């Protein structure tokens, strides 16, 4: 028995790679022709969002807020979710001005499953259906793993970034099946590439990408899924709001500069417009800004080289001053002037 299993594995090792290569040569031209035709035709028939119900988590600020405004311009009915009720009310007022016929404010902590279930039930009671679920809530920390003081305080990153999306998705799926709706999840490019000082955040985003790719296979055409993998975008996150190494939420502009360095930060409004436009066209993946594709391709064809570059640019030794990283020095040398929107250079954020 074991000998047969060993033989089977050996045969797969020897013959599967060349067979896969041969069929790829036959299949890929047709596949890319199909993608080209889809790219040419679908923009003419984007999804009409008028009077459709969209739930957006993390909607009180940043990209989630801008996503709400883009859906409002398309006259969608909105359910805004975040912990800060007053901030949500402000977003709701402006969303109505932009064209949303009705907005439901649903304050909740998405890291708690009962509150996620209540959000979904409240949305269905109020509007009668759900068409899009946009899971966007999340936060990060700008420290190397070994510099964290109390690791037990950092489970909250996974609780919000990963489980906050999964809880909402779990309770929304029965309603999305009835509407043949869509789930949109904000992952991150760092879910694909190993940027230092971001280890737990990177892991939460990588988990999201793999989970929703798998869920897309499981659900088939019943519920469509769009995975958004953005680079740096204008938000409270790029202002420096993060989990400090002691486990308390605060502003860490030094850590922000280490992470961003000379990387251009995309304006939230333009990023949200691109994301919602691609979602309405039925995209399975949205990368924004488009240049971040380079990092994804580099991670596939030369992962060791990418790791070496990241280590050189972003890393310091454990306990060393983060101001000595090349990324921080480049930011201070003038990259902020050319790469950072003025809005993120102020540490002021919306109150809780």
């Amino acid at each position: 028995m074991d000998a047969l299993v060993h033989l089977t594995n050996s045969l797969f090792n020897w013959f599967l790679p060349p067979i896969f290569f041969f069929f790829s040569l036959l299949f890929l031209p047709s596949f890319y022709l199909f993608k080209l035709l889809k790219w040419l035709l679908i923009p003419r028939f984007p999804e009409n969002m008028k009077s459709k119900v969209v739930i957006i988590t993390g909607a009180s600020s940043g990209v989630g807020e801008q996503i709400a405004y883009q859906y409002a311009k398309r006259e969608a009915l909105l359910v805004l979710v975040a912990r800060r009720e007053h901030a949500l009310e402000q977003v709701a007022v402006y969303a109505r001005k932009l064209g949303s016929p009705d907005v439901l404010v649903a304050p909740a902590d998405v890291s708690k499953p009962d509150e996620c279930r209540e959000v979904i039930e409240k949305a269905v009671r109020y509007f009668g259906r759900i068409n899009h679920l946009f899971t966007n809530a999340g936060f990060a920390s700008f420290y190397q793993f070994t510099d964290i003081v109390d690791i037990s305080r950092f489970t909250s990153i996974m609780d919000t970034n990963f489980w906050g999306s999964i809880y909402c998705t779990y309770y929304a799926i029965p309603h999305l099946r009835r509407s043949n709706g869509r789930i949109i999840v904000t992952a991150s490019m760092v879910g694909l590439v190993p940027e230092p000082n971001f280890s737990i955040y990177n892991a939460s985003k990588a988990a999201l990408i793999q989970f929703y790719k798998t869920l897309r296979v499981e659900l088939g055409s019943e519920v469509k899924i769009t995975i958004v993998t953005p680079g740096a975008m204008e938000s409270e996150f790029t202002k420096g709001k993060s989990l400090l190494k002691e486990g308390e939420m605060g502003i860490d502009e030094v850590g922000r500069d280490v992470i961003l360095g000379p990387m251009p930060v995309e304006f939230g409004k333009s990023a949200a417009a691109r994301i919602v436009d691609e979602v309405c066209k039925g995209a399975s993946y949205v990368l924004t800004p488009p240049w971040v594709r380079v990092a994804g391709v580099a991670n596939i064809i030369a992962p060791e080289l990418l790791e070496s570059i990241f280590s050189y640019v972003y890393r310091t030794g454990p306990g060393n001053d983060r101001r000595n990283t090349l990324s921080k020095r480049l930011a201070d040398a003038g990259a902020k002037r050319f790469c950072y929107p003025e809005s993120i250079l102020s540490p002021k954020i919306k109150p809780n």
Side-chain angles (χ1 to χ4, degrees), residues 12 189 328:
F12 268 66
M189 200 62 204
K328 172 62 175 169

Side-chain angles (χ1 to χ4, degrees), residues 139-159:
F139 63 92
S141 180
F142 305 137
Y143 289 92
Q144 291 189 77
F145 183 69
T146 52
D147 288 336
I148 294 172
V149 174
D150 183 356
I151 191 62
S152 67
R153 305 288 294 275
F154 280 69
T155 57
S156 57
I157 294 177
M158 189 65 76
D159 289 342

Side-chain angles (χ1 to χ4, degrees), residues 73-282:
K73 291 177 182 178
R74 289 166 168 77
E75 300 182 61
L77 301 163
L78 303 179
V79 181
L80 305 181
V81 185
R83 288 178 295 180
R84 295 176 289 186
E85 184 171 4
H86 180 66
L88 287 177
E89 294 286 0
Q90 293 177 323
V91 175
V93 168
Y94 193 53
R96 292 186 184 98
K97 290 180 179 178
L98 290 174
S100 178
D102 199 1
V103 182
L104 174 65
V105 169
D109 181 348
V110 297
S111 69
K112 299 176 180 178
D114 289 344
E115 295 192 24
C116 292
R117 183 181 65 246
E118 177 57 30
V119 163
I120 301 303
E121 291 175 353
K122 185 184 294 185
V124 174
R125 284 196 304 267
Y126 191 82
F127 288 120
R129 65 192 181 283
I130 302 170
N131 298 99
H132 282 194
L133 170 65
F134 203 120
T135 66
N136 174 74
F139 63 92
S141 180
F142 305 137
Y143 289 92
Q144 291 189 77
F145 183 69
T146 52
D147 288 336
I148 294 172
V149 174
D150 183 356
I151 191 62
S152 67
R153 305 288 294 275
F154 280 69
T155 57
S156 57
I157 294 177
M158 189 65 76
D159 289 342
T160 297
N161 296 11
F162 179 72
W163 285 109
S165 287
I166 274 58
Y167 295 146
C168 291
T169 296
Y170 179 79
Y171 294 116
I173 281 178
H175 307 287
L176 291 168
R177 275 179 163 147
R178 283 193 283 273
S179 67
N180 195 220
R182 179 177 295 274
I183 300 166
I184 308 98
V185 56
T186 301
S188 173
M189 200 62 204
V190 296
L192 301 173
V193 299
E195 185 170 346
N197 307 294
F198 248 10
S199 54
I200 299 175
Y201 178 78
N202 291 1
S204 70
K205 295 300 184 177
L208 281 177
I209 292 170
Q210 191 61 25
F211 174 84
Y212 283 99
K213 286 171 67 176
T214 305
L215 189 63
R216 181 189 287 135
V217 176
E218 292 181 359
L219 294 177
S221 61
E222 291 181 291
V223 179
K224 298 168 285 294
I225 295 176
T226 300
I227 301 172
V228 182
T229 51
M233 297 186 290
E234 183 183 23
S235 65
E236 290 184 343
F237 170 79
T238 48
K239 280 178 175 283
K241 183 180 178 181
S242 65
L243 199 64
L244 305 181
K245 64 181 179 180
E246 296 81 11
E248 301 292 337
M249 192 65 71
I251 302 295
D252 181 8
E253 292 182 88
V254 172
R256 182 273 312 275
D257 291 348
V258 171
I259 290 293
L260 296 181
M263 186 187 306
V265 177
E266 189 174 17
F267 288 100
K269 184 177 181 179
S270 57
R274 180 179 292 112
I275 291 167
V276 175
D277 185 57
E278 290 297 314
V279 166
C280 291
K281 291 176 182 176

Side-chain angles (χ1 to χ4, degrees), residues 12-24:
F12 268 66
N13 289 335
W14 278 101
F15 293 107
L16 192 59
I19 291 171
F20 174 78
F21 178 74
F22 174 75
F23 279 101
S24 294

